[in-house]
Amino acid sequence: MWISVSRCGSARGGDAQISAWASVQEMTLNHARRGSGRPLLLVHGLGAGWRSWSPIIDGLAESREVIAVDLPGFGESLPLTGEVSIATLTDSVAEFIREQGLDGVSIVGQSMGGRMVLELARRGVGGDTVALDPGGFWSDRELAVFGATLRPSIALVRALRGTLPALLGNPVGRTLLLAQFSARPWALSRETVLPDVRGLADSPSTGAALDALTKGPKQQGAPAGTVPGRVTIGWGRRDLVTMPRQAARATELFPDARLHWFERCGHFPQWDAPQEATRLILDSTS
């Protein structure tokens, strides 16, 4: 049974709720816990909040205590009231780690969350780090293409909000909507992809977070020997969001990192290669 904890209420709450949480330091992120053992913190990307991890969370929880957060403005966490940037979103996770007594926790992130966990490692926060298809390593041209293709995709799923269950229940619909995100969208189930697609459409912070990715600074690196634990970067060979060639830039900026390739995998290893992603996470964290 999931235990979900939230002091900050729903991300769709009124102004009175939002004004009660004026800063990251006062915010407790909504989160879910499952399993027992050494703690493992999961940080999602744009989309569904902690439910983005649903395809692999049960496998991880068989041997670990899994703690999966909703970032501000996603899932059931309230948005930030000030600037939304990769730095302030990462601050919210760092504060969550502090307030929950999770110093030294192993951390896993995907996409925007992958970028954030690398930023935490650069800051010396946490323990072992696994970043799956992280953002932040685009060239200027790649970044322009990313923004120019993802913004229309988000606008499309918002326009199709009421028909998403039916569209994603059909292999042809999944292929048309998700070709940018999955190497084999026709092979996925509706239950796997619907939470993330709905999250792109519904999350209050989708637009602001996308602006942070496309208009903010790129990811800084960490010199060899300065990160607090092992760093593993996983990348899909067929990722059309964060292109595979960006992996070389990531490992150059994080020279302590080990690179793992997911074959026949797009931007979401938890979709396209759930068993392999589970094994990589468990083998790469302590």
Side-chain angles (χ1 to χ4, degrees):
M1 179 178 179
W2 285 104
I3 302 173
S4 185
V5 181
S6 175
R7 289 209 323 257
C8 59
S10 170
R12 300 170 183 81
D15 292 342
Q17 288 177 296
I18 294 174
S19 64
W21 301 100
S23 69
V24 168
Q25 286 71 30
E26 296 173 341
M27 175 180 287
T28 293
L29 299 178
N30 184 72
H31 58 285
R33 292 178 183 253
R34 191 174 187 184
S36 61
R38 299 185 306 279
L40 182 66
L41 181 65
L42 306 183
V43 182
H44 64 84
L46 292 174
W50 71 262
R51 289 176 176 81
S52 181
W53 299 103
S54 295
I56 65 173
I57 204 163
D58 285 338
L60 295 172
E62 288 179 3
S63 55
R64 306 291 290 272
E65 181 188 20
V66 179
I67 306 157
V69 297
D70 286 337
L71 292 172
F74 295 89
E76 298 302 320
S77 288
L78 288 175
L80 297 173
T81 57
E83 178 191 17
V84 177
S85 65
I86 297 301
T88 58
L89 291 170
T90 304
D91 289 343
S92 72
V93 178
E95 176 61 18
F96 177 83
I97 291 170
R98 186 201 64 77
E99 70 179 18
Q100 296 290 320
L102 293 172
D103 294 346
V105 67
S106 293
I107 315 175
V108 182
Q110 185 262 335
S111 191
M112 180 177 72
R115 177 174 180 180
M116 291 170 60
V117 302
L118 289 174
E119 173 61 16
L120 288 168
R122 189 189 71 82
R123 296 182 185 184
V125 176
D128 295 332
T129 299
V130 178
L132 303 176
D133 297 83
F137 301 101
W138 295 280
S139 68
D140 290 341
R141 180 175 179 179
E142 290 165 351
L143 188 58
V145 172
F146 166 71
T149 56
L150 192 56
R151 290 181 195 281
S153 296
I154 293 171
L156 178 62
V157 297
R158 284 175 173 164
L160 297 174
R161 176 66 176 78
T163 62
L164 286 176
L167 286 171
L168 295 174
N170 183 289
V172 175
R174 286 195 299 276
T175 300
L176 291 173
L177 285 176
L178 302 177
Q180 185 178 10
F181 303 104
S182 170
R184 296 174 294 117
W186 59 87
L188 303 174
S189 70
R190 180 180 68 177
E191 290 69 29
T192 292
V193 300
L194 184 57
D196 275 300
V197 179
R198 273 183 169 164
L200 282 176
D202 294 346
S203 297
S205 291
T206 293
L210 183 57
D211 285 344
L213 285 168
T214 57
K215 299 177 182 179
K218 296 176 184 177
Q219 179 61 50
Q220 299 179 51
T226 63
V227 293
R230 294 175 291 170
V231 175
T232 303
I233 299 176
W235 222 292
R237 290 277 191 191
R238 302 186 186 181
D239 191 342
L240 298 179
V241 177
T242 52
M243 303 295 184
R245 58 180 171 267
Q246 296 170 24
R249 299 172 200 148
T251 53
E252 181 178 357
L253 287 170
F254 288 85
D256 288 331
R258 174 175 72 97
L259 180 61
H260 174 88
W261 288 107
F262 292 96
E263 306 293 338
R264 298 189 66 201
C265 180
H267 190 59
F268 284 79
Q270 65 264 43
W271 288 4
D272 289 347
Q275 293 181 340
E276 185 180 356
T278 299
R279 179 45 50 198
L280 177 68
I281 292 167
L282 292 177
D283 288 347
S284 303
T285 58
S286 58

